[in-house]
Amino acid sequence: MLLDSKSKPGSVAYQQDKLSKIPSMASGISKKIAKFRQDYNQLVSNAEKFFVDFPAQAERKQKLISNIEAYQQQIDVIENYVKEHGKLPKIKNEPSSEFYLKKLNRLQTQAKTEKAQLDKELNTNQIHRYEMLDHLVDQMLDLLNGHRIFSQFLGTIALSVPAPEEKVRHVRNDKNKPIYIAALTIALFESHRMAGYKHIPFLQAKLDRLFPTEEHQTLSLLAEAHEVSPDFVPTSHLKPMPLDLKAIYREEVLKPLAKAALVQSIGSHSQECKDILGEDKYRILANDEREKLVHAIRVKSVEFIQKGIGIPPKRFNTKQEQAEYVKEHTTLLKFMIKMQQSLQKPLDPLGDLVRIPMVYSSIILSTKPEFDYTQIYEAYDILAQGANQKQYREDYTNVFLSMVGRFPLGSGVYMIQQQTGEVERAIVSSLFPLKPDEPIVKQITRRQLQFLSHMELLVHPKSNMYFDNTRRECHVNREYMAMRFKGEFVWNAAELWEVQIPALTFWKKDGTRKYNDIYEPPDIL
């Protein structure tokens, strides 16, 4: 039982008034994530079928086109002869020129009919794939609004990771990863836009048109309508977008970005990639194998974007409408393809927008055979080191790390409670810490008993047992520390998720935040 589930502050009515809209969606978000995963899996299944069927279909279509053209050339020759000489020509090895002409027309009609049927099948499949991806992105963007929802969405995925020893861990993480990457990419782009960076011409031209003034620069998807503790919220200066502006921004900017992020690795489901991976797709690859795999993924992903999704056929009333439609979708298609190609270019502005979330997700949602959950706490330093070594853009990396902090969403920390001096468990619950080393958490124990409040805490480094200096300088007895922690000063919160920690209760927030500073032991006279 959660000890304070019906406790202060004040009456139940008071609590209900203060709670954000997130609580009623807590279980709903878990269901939505499951639905997104299911929808993405259906897209993957369709992509696998595309990679198998399309080469033969494309070859058959080209052969039919060649045959139709060859039949037409012969028909034209015969008909031109008739126009010039007034009679059918004699054709070598053909007893009847008239019968041969009818045969050509019949064969051409058959080829045209077969091609029309094949085109219909290809178009139907293409439209279906386009709509599947479009619908999935729409559903994600409908949900991702405000930093609290972004935090809950990403945190729920991280907290749903199976234990390192569980066999389903690889599969679950593999299926969640594209959705996690897409959400992180959107959050990074929005944070990047708020920081005023301008590096991507295709997107920047649209942004300049949509957000022409400095005032517009404060309008963001990350904004909340109301912040109870604005001093502890770095995004508190932001304002929610008007609905009409948000709709255009979503459609013209975020949608192509999210689509590109979602399909960045869909080529891995092609037979070429499966042949490289062999029976165990989660094994550690040799360098030459990895290079081949990365190249194959990029090539096949571009093929899927270009030919599997492409520009869906559509009927129009005028040629001008058709021309505008083709121009617009061609531009979007080129953008998605360019993003794929940019992933292979170090320090590329477009590539790093997805590459940094990819690297981060490969640690948080690891599919490696040997995995220790404590490795997720190394993600911050890995990216920071990569930026120092010029593997990733430093400006992008700094924005990303200021967004996620040193302690990943959903990770477990041990904190020394400022008031009591007790070492308590807490789980990182929000993005955008004021400082990277000061995670925003929900305390889940009080005097080592299960406890959850609606308030969040900002944990000072000197009250966080993760840091060596804290352990050396704190008041906690060394023998007790050695016996309780056994050298592990973080904990795997996913092991208790939805077992002892209900999502519905954990994600309830009243918007208040408090600083958990250094514990000062009372003077003993």
Side-chain angles (χ1 to χ4, degrees):
M1 176 180 178
L2 299 178
L3 299 181
D4 70 336
S5 60
K6 294 185 179 179
S7 63
K8 58 186 180 182
S11 67
V12 173
Y14 172 85
Q15 293 181 27
Q16 290 175 341
D17 287 339
K18 289 190 69 179
L19 290 181
S20 68
K21 292 182 180 179
I22 294 178
S24 61
M25 297 181 65
S27 60
I29 285 184
S30 296
K31 291 178 181 177
K32 284 181 179 293
I33 291 171
K35 182 64 167 62
F36 296 162
R37 186 168 60 239
Q38 180 184 4
D39 290 349
Y40 185 80
N41 288 341
Q42 289 177 355
L43 181 65
V44 166
S45 296
N46 200 297
E48 288 176 327
K49 183 171 172 42
F50 164 81
F51 288 128
V52 172
D53 295 346
F54 184 76
Q57 290 173 325
E59 183 180 355
R60 180 57 183 161
K61 181 176 178 178
Q62 188 54 52
K63 187 174 182 179
L64 288 170
I65 291 172
S66 299
N67 288 345
I68 291 168
E69 291 175 349
Y71 294 142
Q72 189 60 49
Q73 287 177 357
Q74 293 187 62
I75 291 170
D76 289 343
V77 169
I78 295 172
E79 289 181 345
N80 288 335
Y81 185 91
V82 171
K83 288 179 183 178
E84 185 176 348
H85 299 90
K87 61 178 181 178
L88 290 167
K90 291 183 179 180
I91 301 171
K92 187 176 181 181
N93 298 326
E94 292 293 338
S96 170
S97 299
E98 182 179 359
F99 179 80
Y100 183 68
L101 180 59
K102 289 180 179 179
K103 178 182 176 182
L104 288 175
N105 280 296
R106 185 179 72 255
L107 291 173
Q108 186 186 52
T109 299
Q110 290 174 350
K112 285 181 177 179
T113 300
E114 185 178 347
K115 179 180 173 296
Q117 292 172 342
L118 182 57
D119 282 337
K120 183 179 179 180
E121 180 182 355
L122 290 171
N123 290 343
T124 299
N125 292 338
Q126 182 183 5
I127 292 170
H128 182 55
R129 285 187 291 268
Y130 179 91
E131 290 178 345
M132 288 173 73
L133 179 59
D134 199 64
H135 178 71
L136 175 56
V137 170
D138 271 337
Q139 294 298 303
M140 288 186 65
L141 293 178
D142 282 344
L143 178 65
L144 296 174
N145 185 43
H147 66 81
R148 294 176 192 167
I149 292 291
F150 269 96
S151 296
Q152 186 177 339
F153 182 84
L154 293 166
T156 299
I157 292 177
L159 283 163
S160 302
V161 171
E165 66 275 7
E166 290 187 35
K167 293 181 179 180
V168 297
R169 177 178 62 85
H170 309 84
V171 177
R172 173 78 65 82
N173 286 354
D174 194 36
K175 291 180 177 179
N176 277 334
K177 199 176 288 185
I179 299 166
Y180 192 80
I181 291 171
L184 273 178
T185 299
I186 295 167
L188 173 59
F189 176 76
E190 192 66 359
S191 301
H192 188 269
R193 182 174 73 84
M194 293 296 96
Y197 294 122
K198 300 181 178 181
H199 298 301
I200 305 170
F202 169 78
L203 296 177
Q204 194 55 48
K206 294 178 180 293
L207 294 178
D208 288 341
R209 176 169 53 81
L210 293 172
F211 307 101
T213 67
E214 288 187 13
E215 182 181 359
H216 281 89
Q217 299 303 321
T218 63
L219 301 174
S220 173
L221 284 183
L222 300 173
E224 297 289 345
H226 178 63
E227 297 287 3
V228 178
S229 304
D231 292 344
F232 295 122
V233 182
T235 57
S236 61
H237 67 289
L238 302 177
K239 302 173 184 176
M241 288 186 189
L243 292 179
D244 55 345
L245 176 61
K246 180 182 174 183
I248 299 172
Y249 179 54
R250 269 186 46 161
E251 197 67 28
E252 294 189 10
V253 178
L254 297 181
K255 211 168 180 180
L257 187 63
K259 285 183 177 181
L262 272 172
V263 299
Q264 46 80 25
S265 62
I266 202 157
S268 63
H269 301 282
S270 65
Q271 190 58 49
E272 289 83 347
C273 292
K274 290 178 181 179
D275 289 342
I276 296 172
L277 290 167
E279 293 183 3
D280 183 6
K281 65 178 294 187
Y282 302 114
R283 65 188 176 91
I284 297 176
L285 300 176
N287 288 337
D288 60 332
E289 287 181 311
R290 180 169 177 76
E291 288 179 6
K292 289 179 182 177
L293 179 64
V294 170
H295 177 72
I297 290 174
R298 295 283 79 82
V299 170
K300 302 307 289 187
S301 294
V302 168
E303 180 182 309
F304 180 77
I305 293 169
Q306 201 166 28
K307 299 173 182 177
I309 298 174
I311 302 176
K314 188 177 178 181
R315 293 179 181 272
F316 297 93
N317 295 323
T318 66
K319 289 185 177 180
Q320 182 179 353
E321 288 180 354
Q322 183 180 22
E324 290 174 355
Y325 173 84
V326 171
K327 181 180 178 181
E328 177 187 354
H329 279 75
T330 299
T331 303
L332 294 177
L333 205 63
K334 287 180 178 179
F335 170 75
M336 292 175 66
I337 292 171
K338 186 176 181 181
M339 177 169 276
Q340 284 288 336
Q341 296 167 340
S342 298
L343 288 170
Q344 297 175 315
K345 301 174 183 177
L347 305 180
D348 184 271
L350 185 56
D352 273 5
L353 202 56
V354 179
R355 182 172 23 244
I356 292 171
M358 285 173 63
V359 173
Y360 189 76
S361 69
S362 71
I363 302 169
I364 307 301
L365 304 179
S366 175
T367 57
K368 291 180 180 178
E370 300 297 328
F371 177 71
D372 181 345
Y373 77 90
T374 59
Q375 293 171 6
I376 68 174
Y377 300 88
E378 301 171 9
Y380 183 96
D381 288 330
I382 290 172
L383 282 172
Q385 184 179 5
N388 290 334
Q389 295 174 350
K390 306 301 180 185
Q391 296 174 9
Y392 323 114
R393 290 183 66 95
E394 186 175 3
D395 51 356
Y396 280 45
T397 306
N398 290 340
V399 169
F400 184 84
L401 293 179
S402 68
M403 179 177 77
V404 299
R406 178 177 297 279
F407 299 89
L409 268 169
S411 63
V413 299
Y414 289 106
M415 51 169 266
I416 302 172
Q417 229 288 335
Q418 182 180 352
Q419 282 73 37
T420 66
E422 295 278 354
V423 178
E424 307 288 5
R425 288 190 176 197
I427 299 175
V428 180
S429 55
S430 286
L431 294 168
F432 301 103
L434 286 177
K435 298 178 182 178
D437 287 349
E438 297 183 352
I440 304 166
V441 307
K442 292 283 291 286
Q443 182 179 335
I444 67 159
T445 62
R446 181 166 60 187
R447 298 192 183 279
Q448 301 180 36
L449 295 175
Q450 192 172 5
F451 162 90
L452 273 170
S453 74
H454 302 317
M455 179 176 64
E456 291 181 296
L457 298 174
L458 282 73
V459 183
H460 190 285
K462 289 193 175 182
S463 65
N464 189 339
M465 297 294 285
Y466 173 83
F467 296 103
D468 292 338
N469 287 342
T470 302
R471 299 195 296 273
R472 280 196 298 267
E473 299 172 6
C474 72
H475 69 289
V476 180
N477 180 276
R478 298 295 180 271
E479 291 183 4
Y480 169 80
M481 194 185 298
M483 179 181 67
R484 178 178 176 185
F485 298 106
K486 297 181 174 59
E488 293 190 1
F489 299 98
V490 291
W491 61 284
N492 187 359
E495 291 181 348
L496 302 184
W497 188 246
E498 292 288 31
V499 179
Q500 296 182 31
I501 306 171
L504 190 62
T505 308
F506 179 81
W507 291 117
K508 284 186 178 180
K509 302 177 185 179
D510 61 11
T512 58
R513 290 180 177 178
K514 183 179 177 182
Y515 204 55
N516 190 81
D517 214 322
I518 304 169
Y519 171 69
E520 298 290 349
D523 293 332
I524 301 176
L525 297 178

